[in-house]
Amino acid sequence: MEMKVIKNEIPLTTEFFPDRIIGRDQEISLINKLMFSSDAQTTVLIKGRPGTGKTLLAKFLMKLHPDYNGKYVNCYVSNSDRLILSEIGGKDYWRGGDLQSSSIESIIRQIFQKERRRNLVVLDEVHSLKSSNSKIIYILTRSTELELPPIKLMLLSIEDPEMFLDKSSLASINKINQIDLKNYNSSQLLEILKDRAQLALFEGTYDNDALMKIAEISEASGNARFAIELLRYSARLAELRDQILTSDIVLESSKDYTEPIDDSALRYLDEWEIDLLIRLLNNWNSNRFTTEEIRSILPVISDARLYKWLRDLESAGIINKRKLSSGYGGGVRNEFSLNVQKNYLLNALYNLKR
């Protein structure tokens, strides 16, 4: 008789929406205070690396406040002001109108003057707009100045706002309104895995050691998406073997499985950053490297550019940083490791340049 491990694969996919958000109680409480304690216009930026739960958290808060007219837009997919407003307004707003010829301000006025409920707009992957000369964030943060109802605006990004917002837009987002989602730790990852395993796998087909091993492997990146995907991959392998899911199967799976690369994270890198990463990967055989080793391959890069490049790669979830020791003159010597297999990352970068 064949061993069935997976009873419902949906909870192990990105389309699944859980009833509760694990490990983010403090952030939910803080955002509720910042955004929903008054009717005033408020902008909050939620920053975190891929897999830290930004999208899940935002959609959970939308569900938590059904009295708001909540609109969610992924700016990586809808990467211009008009496409974003088309998503916010919906197709009914554009019947008989001209989306292309109307000004951005006029379109916003059309959308929100028809809406009687309070407004909540979530812009995900908002760092994708950094090179598009977008006006949408500036205008939405000043909705009352346009004599429109106050708009609660939630921005989700892998990068600090200073890296993609102009000074005028940045002025409306003070430090208090910036929520930094830390990477999940192993105990949080284990709790998430237990919750998903209970929903997705048959009882008795997995042991706690297997889930602990996935949490241990995933802690380096703190990426819950990777942890859940590794659980899915390992459960499939166990099922193919007609075995229960054990830590040994997890270890075997982890050798072949790589953390998914977020396309939006790669696309937000500057072209020169992509070129440098390709050059480093083609000239370095290890998955780990220090700043000195980078300089041996890229000797002409300035300190400012090197710092920005490493910071952007870390924010995108491509590398992890670990402090090795204090360097000369009080500086810090760091080691960097790749979160994904080298060849897999190179293929993704070459496809991006085509």
Side-chain angles (χ1 to χ4, degrees):
M1 184 177 176
E2 290 186 359
M3 167 72 73
K4 290 291 292 180
V5 176
I6 302 172
K7 65 179 178 182
N8 180 9
E9 201 163 350
I10 299 281
L12 302 180
T13 65
T14 54
E15 62 192 82
F16 179 73
F17 189 81
D19 293 330
R20 64 192 183 106
I21 305 297
I22 294 170
R24 298 299 182 213
D25 291 344
Q26 289 184 346
E27 289 85 354
I28 289 171
S29 176
L30 179 56
I31 295 168
N32 273 327
K33 289 177 183 177
L34 290 171
M35 294 200 79
F36 303 108
S37 59
S38 77
D39 288 334
Q41 194 285 326
T42 312
T43 301
V44 167
L45 181 128
I46 302 174
K47 191 197 92 163
R49 291 174 61 175
T52 52
K54 300 183 297 297
T55 303
L56 206 60
L57 180 58
K59 290 185 174 180
F60 179 79
L61 286 161
M62 289 175 70
K63 186 178 179 181
L64 204 61
H65 296 277
D67 49 324
Y68 278 81
N69 171 38
K71 298 292 184 180
Y72 169 89
V73 183
N74 187 306
C75 297
Y76 173 60
V77 177
S78 301
N79 57 4
S80 73
D81 288 353
R82 282 179 167 75
L83 286 174
I84 291 169
L85 290 173
S86 179
E87 288 292 316
I88 293 173
K91 61 183 179 181
D92 290 339
Y93 281 95
W94 313 126
R95 289 175 180 169
D98 190 344
L99 179 62
Q100 296 304 319
S101 63
S102 300
S103 69
I104 300 302
E105 293 86 344
S106 174
I107 297 169
I108 291 175
R109 187 168 285 107
Q110 289 178 56
I111 293 174
F112 292 107
Q113 281 181 342
K114 293 180 181 180
E115 183 56 55
R116 297 188 178 185
R117 286 184 295 166
R118 292 176 291 180
N119 297 291
L120 169 63
V121 174
V122 176
L123 299 183
D124 201 350
E125 309 284 7
V126 74
H127 52 269
S128 301
L129 300 177
K130 74 172 184 176
S131 59
S132 64
N133 298 316
S134 174
K135 295 169 59 180
I136 188 72
I137 296 173
Y138 175 81
I139 296 172
L140 290 178
T141 56
R142 286 161 171 79
S143 61
T144 52
E145 295 175 22
L146 297 174
E147 299 181 352
L148 295 171
I151 295 172
K152 306 288 187 182
L153 180 61
M154 197 180 299
L155 307 175
L156 314 182
S157 172
I158 62 174
E159 187 54 282
D160 292 323
E162 294 84 357
M163 304 301 292
F164 61 88
L165 290 181
D166 57 55
K167 290 183 179 180
S168 299
S169 301
L170 200 58
S172 63
I173 310 173
N174 57 47
K175 290 293 183 182
I176 295 175
N177 285 29
Q178 296 179 33
I179 312 297
D180 193 355
L181 295 186
K182 303 299 183 186
N183 294 347
Y184 288 107
N185 60 39
S186 60
S187 61
Q188 291 170 328
L189 289 167
L190 180 58
E191 190 177 352
I192 291 169
L193 289 165
K194 285 180 178 178
D195 185 63
R196 298 297 179 96
Q198 188 175 21
L199 295 168
L201 309 182
F202 285 105
E203 186 177 353
T205 62
Y206 62 95
D207 58 35
N208 197 57
D209 287 346
L211 302 184
M212 289 176 66
K213 181 56 67 176
I214 295 173
E216 178 188 318
I217 292 169
S218 306
E219 188 178 26
S221 65
N223 188 328
R225 191 185 311 159
F226 170 67
I228 294 166
E229 284 285 350
L230 181 55
L231 173 59
R232 182 185 185 186
Y233 189 83
S234 301
R236 281 179 173 175
L237 181 60
E239 201 166 77
L240 287 171
R241 297 270 181 86
D242 288 332
Q243 299 175 7
I244 67 168
L245 176 56
T246 64
S247 57
D248 288 339
I249 288 181
V250 169
L251 276 173
E252 185 178 348
S253 299
S254 67
K255 294 175 183 176
D256 298 322
Y257 187 76
T258 59
E259 183 171 342
I261 299 177
D262 191 327
D263 278 352
S264 70
L266 289 181
R267 287 183 182 275
Y268 110 100
L269 295 174
D270 292 327
E271 187 174 350
W272 67 268
E273 293 181 299
I274 293 172
D275 289 338
L276 283 182
L277 183 54
I278 290 174
R279 186 174 170 188
L280 175 68
L281 294 174
N282 280 327
N283 286 276
W284 193 251
N285 294 322
S286 173
N287 276 348
R288 296 180 181 275
F289 43 86
T290 63
T291 310
E292 293 90 338
E293 289 162 341
I294 295 171
R295 285 202 174 282
S296 70
I297 296 170
L298 310 169
V300 297
I301 189 171
S302 66
D303 287 342
R305 276 204 157 193
L306 178 60
Y307 173 77
K308 179 185 184 303
W309 181 58
L310 291 171
R311 178 182 173 185
D312 284 352
L313 293 180
E314 189 179 3
S315 295
I318 296 170
I319 62 172
N320 281 323
K321 179 174 69 177
R322 181 172 71 92
K323 179 180 176 181
L324 290 179
S325 62
S326 296
Y328 298 109
V332 175
R333 184 167 177 264
N334 295 313
E335 180 184 69
F336 303 90
S337 58
L338 289 174
N339 273 336
V340 292
Q341 286 185 3
K342 174 184 165 182
N343 290 337
Y344 186 72
L345 178 56
L346 267 173
N347 287 336
L349 293 168
Y350 282 130
N351 287 334
L352 193 63
K353 288 181 66 66
R354 286 175 185 166

